[in-house]
Amino acid sequence: MSTTITTTPSSRAFISDNMAGASPQIAKAVAEAATGQVLPYGNDPFTAATRRRLSEIFERDVDVFIVSTGSAANGLSLAALTPPWGSVLSHPDSHINHDECGAPEFFTDGAKLVSVPGDDGKIDPDALPAAAGRRAGDVHSVQPSAVSISQATENGSVYTLEEIRRLSAIAKDAGLRVHMDGARFANALVHLGATLAEMTWKAGIDVLSFGATKNGAMTADAIVSFDPALATELALRAKRAGQLASKMRFHAAQIDAYLTDDLWLRNARQANAMATRLGDGLKAIPGTGLLAVPQANILFCRLPQHVTEGLLAEGYAFYHDRWEPGTVRFVTSFSHSAQDIDGLIDAVRRHTL
């Protein structure tokens, strides 16, 4: 009995960077890890190499916990920073607020998510102090415990280094810890041209969800902790959550290959460049309107309804009308080529005319 698998061609897939496959280097690394006998549960040479490599590129010793999803990375990170009676402050449009089915509340045993507004998907530093101190010490209320920053944001914007430092300083002054949701960490990093250290622990980040799946990996993300005091708790929480894989070598091989020869940075630059190319092309078409210049690999724009319908009829895949009528989102990935982007631009132009 045969099974027919329907896929969307890469040239027309813009729903999410999760639609992209894996980088060939990463697929090869997984295949090579499939031979031989090694110790289980992360006691293998692949995991050890990954931990060493991450410590090198972050310019300090870090604790690394490889997990299978970004939701697990976020939930476990926040659980280590937030008691059940605590609250996590984040932007209303953050991924932990909208797209994780209550996973942060689940992993933290009931901590509350509290929204702090701001433009462009970023927490407003002027609004954070009040939220960070709200009813602190009041036994009748959840206690502000952590701030979570999405880098890049769900809007495709990127926090500057100064913005991260300022938000972290406000949090620390109020006795709160700081988590960074780095599902698109590489895309933000190459946009800023910063070092990993500058965008994380040097800016006040305590724990990072280090995303790889959206940028070329297959089934692996990681928690990177800059606080040694959290290591034991994170290890136990990862095991309790079913995130300590028995054959961890397959996850670790992905991260190791991802970091080798700057593959992760090259992939992110390609994804970002394709979003910029798309934005430049759309700006030149009458009747379309960018909602913001893309800083990472996410682009929001407005299209007439007949243009959206025409693109969908041609087999293009993208989110539309989830926010406001006429608003669409295109997400580019490392697998998109300039030819793919130019094809989408030409299709928009044809349907506009």
Side-chain angles (χ1 to χ4, degrees):
M1 180 177 178
S2 63
T3 301
T4 300
I5 300 175
T6 301
T7 61
T8 301
S10 174
S11 61
R12 300 193 177 190
F14 294 93
I15 285 180
S16 169
D17 34 15
N18 286 320
M19 293 187 75
S23 290
Q25 299 92 323
I26 292 174
K28 180 182 178 183
V30 172
E32 292 175 347
T35 60
Q37 303 284 322
V38 299
L39 290 172
Y41 298 109
N43 296 304
D44 58 86
F46 301 93
T47 303
T50 298
R51 287 171 176 153
R52 286 195 302 271
R53 193 184 296 271
L54 283 167
S55 291
E56 289 171 2
I57 63 177
F58 277 102
E59 303 175 38
R60 60 172 289 172
D61 288 337
V62 295
D63 293 304
V64 179
F65 306 89
I66 304 173
V67 295
S68 59
T69 69
S71 292
N74 285 339
L76 291 169
S77 297
L78 292 172
L81 300 177
T82 316
W85 55 86
S87 63
V88 178
L89 311 182
S90 64
H91 193 273
D93 294 332
S94 65
H95 198 273
I96 62 172
N97 264 330
H98 275 302
D99 297 290
E100 294 191 337
C101 194
E105 294 93 332
F106 170 78
F107 280 106
T108 58
D109 293 324
K112 187 174 183 178
L113 299 185
V114 174
S115 295
V116 182
D119 296 333
D120 298 326
K122 301 179 184 180
I123 294 173
D124 183 349
D126 291 330
L128 183 58
R134 183 176 183 273
R135 303 188 72 173
D138 183 347
V139 73
H140 299 285
S141 177
V142 291
Q143 298 298 292
S145 302
V147 174
S148 182
I149 300 170
S150 300
Q151 182 73 327
T153 73
E154 294 296 299
N155 289 26
S157 59
V158 174
Y159 284 96
T160 66
L161 297 182
E162 177 55 35
E163 287 171 333
I164 298 171
R165 287 192 288 262
R166 185 178 176 190
L167 291 172
S168 295
I170 294 169
K172 298 301 173 65
D173 285 346
L176 279 59
R177 310 300 294 277
V178 186
H179 163 255
M180 177 177 283
D181 177 357
R184 295 184 175 90
F185 181 84
N187 303 92
L189 189 73
V190 298
H191 171 75
L192 293 178
T195 68
L196 288 85
E198 288 171 337
M199 202 168 79
T200 55
W201 61 271
K202 286 186 177 180
I205 303 301
D206 296 297
V207 180
L208 165 71
S209 295
F210 183 77
T213 303
K214 296 179 186 296
N215 193 41
M218 297 169 66
T219 57
D221 292 309
I223 299 167
V224 179
S225 174
F226 307 105
D227 183 353
L230 299 175
T232 299
E233 180 175 353
L234 280 167
L236 293 171
R237 284 188 177 276
K239 172 60 179 176
R240 182 173 179 264
Q243 289 297 319
L244 179 62
S246 57
K247 295 186 178 180
M248 185 65 79
R249 59 169 146 170
F250 293 112
H251 288 336
Q254 294 178 56
I255 302 295
D256 190 44
Y258 180 67
L259 299 172
T260 298
D261 297 328
D262 289 339
L263 173 63
W264 66 299
L265 298 177
R266 288 186 279 115
N267 281 358
R269 290 190 184 101
Q270 175 66 13
N272 286 11
M274 294 304 95
T276 299
R277 187 183 188 95
L278 177 58
D280 290 342
L282 293 178
K283 283 189 295 186
I285 301 175
T288 67
L290 295 188
L291 299 186
V293 176
Q295 295 182 319
N297 63 318
I298 299 175
L299 181 148
F300 282 87
C301 68
R302 295 188 64 82
L303 295 179
Q305 184 62 29
H306 72 276
V307 175
T308 296
E309 292 173 355
L311 294 175
L312 295 172
E314 287 191 29
Y316 281 97
F318 54 93
Y319 282 130
H320 56 96
D321 296 333
R322 296 184 78 196
W323 299 270
E324 295 179 0
T327 297
V328 304
R329 187 189 81 167
F330 296 111
V331 182
T332 56
S333 76
F334 70 95
S335 66
H336 284 121
S337 67
Q339 183 178 0
D340 297 334
I341 302 305
D342 292 345
L344 173 57
I345 294 169
D346 287 343
V348 173
R349 183 179 293 109
R350 280 190 286 102
H351 289 294
T352 300
L353 295 176

